[in-house]
Amino acid sequence: MKLKRKHIAAAAILVLVSLFLFYPLDSARRDNSRMLSWRFLDVRGVLLREILSSEQGRGIWTPLTEMAVEVPGAIVAVEDKRFYRHPGVDPLAVLRALWLNVRNRQVVSGGSTLTQQLARQMYRLPRRWYVKPFEALVAVRLECQMSKAEILEQYLNRAPFGNQLFGIEAASRTYFARPSRDLSIAEAAFLCGLPQSPSRYNPYYHFERALKRQRQVLAAMRKCGYLDEPAFEKAAAQPLQLAPRQRVFLAPHFCQMLYEQLRGQDTAHREIVTTIDADLQIRIEELVNGHIENLRKNRVTNAAVLVIENRSGAAKAWVGSRDFFSEAWQGQVDGVRALRQPGSAIKPFTYGLALEQGFTTASLLADIETHAAQAGADFTVHNYDEKYHGPVRLRTALACSYNVATVRLLEAMGGDLLLEKLRLAGLTTLNKPASFYGSGLTLGNGEVTLRDLTNAYAALARGGVLQPLHGLAGTPPSVEEEPLHRARIFPEIITFLLSDILSDHRARAPAFGLGGPLHLPFVCAAKTGTTKDFRDNWTIGYTTEHTVGVWVGNFDGQPMQRISGITGAAPLFRDIMLEIYKAREPAPFRAPEQLLQIPICPASGSLPGEACPGQVEEWFIRGTQPAQSCRVHRRFVIDRRTGREAGPGTPASRREEKVFEVWPPEYWSWMAANQMPVPPQVFSTAEHPTPPRLAISFPDDGDVLKIDPVLRREYQTILLQAVVPPGMDEIEWFINDTSYARVRRPFQARWQLQPGKHRFHIRSAVNPGEPGSAPVTIQVL
């Protein structure tokens, strides 16, 4: 009976031991993902950034067959010479270690085999004597379930090599700047000597000590038969040159974005090839740093840049901030993805919409004092130069970025249409209704990202087709994989017209002058933008091949000191474009066949008349070109004595022929303010069968105006305007039934906004008994 119990106990023990030794290892224990760091490479394989593994180290898993053939012999010879003969535990090594420790009265040798060291790494066991028995059991279990080659591969990819390096591949690339398969015998021996004590043999701090350890490894390799004498002598004589210690940290915001996208995916492949061009990235980071340093006196601390390859939609450079590590400047904010107001950089989409709606590049827009609706109240629209420019062609209005003409253009089309177009262009952060933005939508009062707006410009560059921006090398993301679908924003013919305007230096000259930062030695379409109080400025532009977006400002929202898009972002944009095309020029934009170019009068946009002082060439979609000659430039015969048009009784000696610009009444006040000669006004019943009655043309009855809390009060005024019948030379303005001003032609008066309700009316100043105007009541908030 006792014997039977002993047999049962022995069998039970045998079963338990068998289960322990041969029950499959937990897959998590063999999982190598926690050893791997994320390595982001540029399109040519240059390292951009390495993000540490969960073990807070850098590791690259490499099969044993892809390591130099000398590596396994070197590690076995120096760490575990009986590796191929023991079952995971080496009794002779244990006895030797015990004898050495007793003799030296301290721990000088551990006696652990490579398999035991691997067990300690896989199970994260502490280095304590009382853990040794369990470590030995685990080592035996590993030997039962893994081949010697598998154990070596696991060990050589997990072992520490100092400087946060795990595995021989990461060590080889760091210390010798080459993959482990290309190591020489001397280099393999050098690296295999490090795991025993990575800190003690740290090559960057204790190179001579590490070199002495290498000699020990080479000697062990010769003793174990892995090297013959000539090979030993050659390896021992080979001088070793460490690669310079580098801090590789390019495109950190871009790499961080990809890491956030990929880290949740179940992938063992953590070497990511991106679309970034490292050489271009380095140069742009240098340019950003230099330009912001020059702008510090203007209270500018940061910039962001995105470069897109138009053909593929690939990001080629991505600078999120000037300095990723700057806490003072909030450097870890990614300016490419941050929401900011774009200012006038949004305007090309308004003008593209207008061209779609039937406007032409020669259509006249009124750049005169205008009040537009926004958030339930009106506001006075100002141009950047605080001037009004009268009738301007659409080309000039966009090229010069005139706010007033742009707002009036939007009001003619409707904000809902523009908002729909902007969302189609990928600006999905504009998620409020059109009424929320009001007319300010076309001036850039909605928030967008540099990424989205630059990608929308890239669509203009490729003929109106929007495609997803991507950062991974290889096949661009498919429509099914991206929330942003490919879409056509504008027809190709419209985008050519926009590109032609945005690259027209002469059209831009009235506002920005000739030879400015946007005047490049090759064809490049560009637009700047500046937001209120100089908090943001932008320049975004493109050639046929690349689109570049630049933002300059402060992440904390503090205003810059009078820095606009043309003075802040544009010089940086220019230098980036010159860097991209330093060796060649991009191809120009090609005009579609449906376009024709004809001469027009630069003032009226009509065909040149005999009185026009000059002409310019302009593009038109066939069928939309003007058919009539200019009616703005007209010849008049003037009676020198009266300044009026000469009549039949005017002597020949008193007659003088002059050319005047004849504009509708809405421009008369602008003409007077700019001291332009006014043509003789002779009322024509043919043109005006009913003479106009005295009336207030601005403000309108029921208008609600809003005082800007930021703008100085003395600048917050409106221009009171009137329609006056022929023969009335002077009128009187009344506000709240109190005389305010007596004025002559153009019958205007400027009034500073005051809170409350106000009632306006006008009458003849010469004949007060004549009927006056209907009253107009407004409210100022």
Side-chain angles (χ1 to χ4, degrees):
M1 191 66 164
K2 290 182 179 180
L3 185 61
K4 185 177 181 180
R5 287 178 181 175
K6 289 181 179 179
H7 288 165
I8 293 172
I13 292 172
L14 182 61
V15 169
L16 290 174
V17 170
S18 298
L19 284 173
F20 176 78
L21 293 177
F22 296 103
Y23 187 79
L25 289 169
D26 180 3
S27 60
R29 299 298 179 187
R30 304 183 69 163
D31 180 22
N32 60 20
S33 62
R34 65 187 177 89
M35 307 302 302
L36 302 180
S37 54
W38 288 86
R39 290 170 55 84
F40 294 94
L41 312 178
D42 91 328
V43 70
R44 291 185 293 272
V46 176
L47 182 63
L48 298 173
R49 182 183 174 188
E50 189 165 11
I51 297 177
L52 299 182
S53 68
S54 57
E55 295 290 312
Q56 293 302 301
R58 292 175 287 163
I60 307 170
W61 200 272
T62 304
L64 188 69
T65 55
E66 294 183 18
M67 301 176 192
V69 294
E70 293 82 9
V71 169
I75 200 69
V76 167
V78 73
E79 291 287 342
D80 188 0
K81 62 184 179 182
R82 283 180 288 277
F83 173 72
Y84 291 105
R85 300 195 297 273
H86 64 64
V89 178
D90 186 352
L92 293 177
V94 173
L95 291 174
R96 180 180 61 83
L98 182 62
W99 164 248
L100 289 174
N101 294 340
V102 170
R103 190 180 69 175
N104 290 279
R105 297 182 180 181
Q106 61 178 336
V107 179
V108 296
S109 177
S112 295
T113 63
L114 285 175
T115 315
Q116 287 177 272
Q117 294 179 50
L118 176 60
R120 189 164 59 242
Q121 294 162 3
M122 292 178 69
Y123 286 82
R124 301 184 182 183
L125 301 176
R127 287 176 173 268
R128 296 290 186 269
W129 65 268
Y130 52 80
V131 181
K132 285 290 184 181
F134 180 70
E135 178 186 286
L137 288 173
V138 174
V140 174
R141 185 185 185 197
L142 292 178
E143 290 275 354
C144 291
Q145 298 196 40
M146 301 170 69
S147 68
K148 291 291 185 179
E150 287 178 307
I151 291 172
L152 275 179
E153 181 177 310
Q154 288 279 337
Y155 176 82
L156 285 167
N157 280 289
R158 293 174 181 269
F161 284 80
N163 295 293
Q164 295 182 302
L165 299 170
F166 289 92
I168 196 166
E169 184 69 21
S172 179
R173 295 193 189 194
T174 300
Y175 295 135
F176 295 116
R178 60 175 60 92
S180 60
R181 66 173 176 269
D182 296 332
L183 290 171
S184 66
I185 296 174
E187 291 166 341
F190 183 88
L191 294 182
C192 288
L194 303 180
Q196 185 190 67
S197 182
S199 297
R200 175 177 174 78
Y201 298 124
N202 188 321
Y204 288 129
Y205 296 104
H206 309 294
F207 180 72
E208 292 300 324
R209 193 181 293 169
L211 203 58
K212 185 176 180 181
R213 174 68 175 164
Q214 180 225 29
R215 299 291 189 269
Q216 296 172 359
V217 176
L218 289 172
M221 292 176 70
R222 178 178 59 180
K223 184 176 180 180
C224 292
Y226 291 109
L227 291 180
D228 57 21
E229 192 63 30
F232 169 81
E233 294 293 341
K234 182 179 179 181
Q238 179 185 337
L240 295 180
Q241 182 68 45
L242 290 179
R245 192 172 190 176
Q246 294 182 343
R247 177 186 168 193
V248 180
F249 204 75
L250 293 173
H253 298 88
F254 172 80
C255 295
Q256 186 67 30
M257 179 194 68
L258 289 183
Y259 174 65
E260 291 169 359
Q261 293 175 357
L262 298 172
R263 65 179 173 180
Q265 299 181 12
D266 184 20
T267 175
H269 183 70
R270 296 192 176 179
E271 191 161 87
I272 310 300
V273 181
T274 73
T275 58
I276 295 294
D277 181 331
D279 292 337
L280 181 62
Q281 179 75 27
I282 291 171
R283 184 65 185 122
I284 291 178
E285 288 183 6
E286 292 172 348
L287 289 172
V288 166
N289 192 62
H291 276 269
I292 298 305
E293 188 63 33
N294 290 336
L295 293 173
R296 286 186 67 181
K297 62 182 181 298
N298 300 103
R299 295 201 290 262
V300 181
T301 60
N302 249 310
V305 176
L306 174 62
V307 179
I308 299 175
E309 183 181 70
N310 297 334
R311 177 184 55 80
S312 64
K316 305 307 292 182
W318 183 302
V319 180
S321 69
R322 177 190 181 185
D323 181 357
F324 185 85
F325 295 103
S326 172
E327 293 185 7
W329 299 332
Q330 299 173 290
Q332 293 192 25
V333 173
D334 187 353
V336 177
R337 293 190 288 165
L339 285 170
R340 313 293 294 193
Q341 291 185 337
S344 295
I346 208 80
K347 288 177 181 174
F349 300 93
T350 302
Y351 285 84
L353 180 62
L355 292 169
E356 269 192 322
Q357 296 293 313
F359 287 80
T360 73
T361 52
S363 294
L364 289 183
L365 307 178
D367 192 81
I368 55 180
E369 184 158 338
T370 300
H371 302 269
Q374 179 176 332
D378 288 357
F379 70 100
T380 303
V381 186
H382 295 271
N383 286 320
Y384 181 77
D385 60 3
E386 294 295 341
K387 297 177 181 178
Y388 298 109
H389 307 277
V392 293
R393 286 181 292 127
L394 184 144
R395 172 181 290 272
T396 304
L398 173 56
C400 293
S401 196
Y402 291 148
N403 292 337
V404 177
T406 305
V407 166
R408 293 175 74 102
L409 180 62
L410 178 64
E411 290 181 338
M413 298 184 295
D416 288 308
L417 280 177
L418 176 59
L419 184 58
E420 182 182 352
K421 181 68 70 175
L422 293 174
R423 288 172 179 169
L424 179 64
L427 303 180
T428 54
T429 55
L430 298 172
N431 51 19
K432 301 287 195 303
S435 58
F436 175 84
Y437 304 106
S439 299
L441 179 63
T442 190
L443 302 181
N445 67 352
E447 291 187 328
V448 301
T449 66
L450 179 63
R451 175 181 62 183
D452 290 346
L453 189 53
T454 305
N455 198 41
Y457 269 71
L460 302 181
R462 62 175 76 95
V465 177
L466 181 73
Q467 63 187 52
L469 173 68
H470 71 100
L472 299 178
T475 305
S478 67
V479 170
E480 292 75 15
E481 295 170 338
E482 285 285 338
L484 179 63
H485 289 209
R486 297 172 187 267
R488 177 166 286 283
I489 306 174
F490 293 117
E492 183 180 4
I493 197 167
I494 300 297
T495 60
F496 172 81
L497 293 174
L498 289 174
S499 301
D500 189 65
I501 294 171
L502 295 175
S503 60
D504 188 343
H505 309 306
R506 294 188 179 278
R508 191 186 295 127
F512 303 106
L514 290 172
L518 297 183
H519 195 157
L520 290 158
F522 46 81
V523 178
C524 177
K527 184 73 188 71
T528 62
T530 304
T531 58
K532 190 175 181 180
D533 295 336
F534 303 96
R535 296 181 188 276
D536 306 272
N537 65 67
W538 309 62
T539 298
I540 307 180
Y542 53 89
T543 65
T544 51
E545 300 172 11
H546 293 89
T547 300
V548 175
V550 176
W551 170 87
V552 169
N554 301 307
F555 287 143
D556 60 5
Q558 291 299 308
M560 298 168 281
Q561 191 173 45
R562 296 201 65 81
I563 289 292
S564 67
I566 201 68
T567 57
L572 177 56
F573 170 88
R574 173 186 176 84
D575 283 354
I576 292 170
M577 276 295 185
L578 290 175
E579 176 66 26
I580 294 173
Y581 296 108
K582 60 186 177 183
R584 60 184 182 83
E585 290 189 3
F589 302 110
R590 293 180 58 185
E593 294 181 357
Q594 307 96 305
L595 291 175
L596 59 88
Q597 196 173 30
I598 63 171
I600 62 167
C601 169
S604 67
S606 302
L607 296 175
E610 57 86 21
C612 294
Q615 62 184 40
V616 295
E617 295 289 317
E618 185 57 277
W619 288 103
F620 292 92
I621 300 173
R622 294 182 185 275
T624 67
Q625 65 269 28
Q628 294 184 341
S629 297
C630 175
R631 293 285 296 159
V632 168
H633 296 103
R634 301 188 198 176
R635 296 186 186 276
F636 288 84
V637 178
I638 304 300
D639 188 327
R640 291 177 180 173
R641 297 170 299 180
T642 64
R644 295 179 179 274
E645 191 168 15
T650 305
S653 61
R654 299 298 184 181
R655 292 172 176 264
E656 180 182 6
E657 187 177 78
K658 289 186 177 180
V659 175
F660 289 89
E661 291 187 16
V662 181
W663 296 106
E666 64 178 319
Y667 294 112
W668 289 354
S669 59
W670 166 76
M671 295 175 71
N674 288 273
Q675 299 180 336
M676 294 178 63
V678 180
Q681 298 299 312
V682 178
F683 183 75
S684 169
T685 56
E687 294 182 8
H688 304 283
T690 303
R693 299 183 62 182
L694 187 63
I696 295 175
S697 60
F698 184 82
D700 295 325
D701 191 46
D703 274 355
V704 178
L705 305 177
K706 191 174 183 179
I707 294 176
D708 191 320
V710 177
L711 189 64
R712 290 170 59 178
R713 292 291 294 274
E714 57 264 34
Y715 295 132
Q716 301 196 55
T717 64
I718 62 173
L719 189 65
L720 307 176
Q721 302 178 56
V723 175
V724 179
M728 190 175 290
D729 296 325
E730 187 177 10
I731 66 170
E732 186 172 10
W733 282 90
F734 289 85
I735 302 177
N736 298 326
D737 297 323
T738 300
S739 177
Y740 178 70
R742 293 168 65 105
V743 295
R744 291 180 173 275
R745 187 179 176 191
F747 309 113
Q748 297 172 339
R750 188 163 293 279
W751 177 68
Q752 184 173 328
L753 296 180
Q754 301 292 334
K757 283 190 174 182
H758 303 278
R759 183 175 180 272
F760 300 81
H761 73 277
I762 54 176
R763 70 183 185 191
S764 170
V766 178
N767 299 306
E770 293 185 7
S773 71
V776 168
T777 302
I778 69 170
Q779 183 173 4
V780 180
L781 302 179

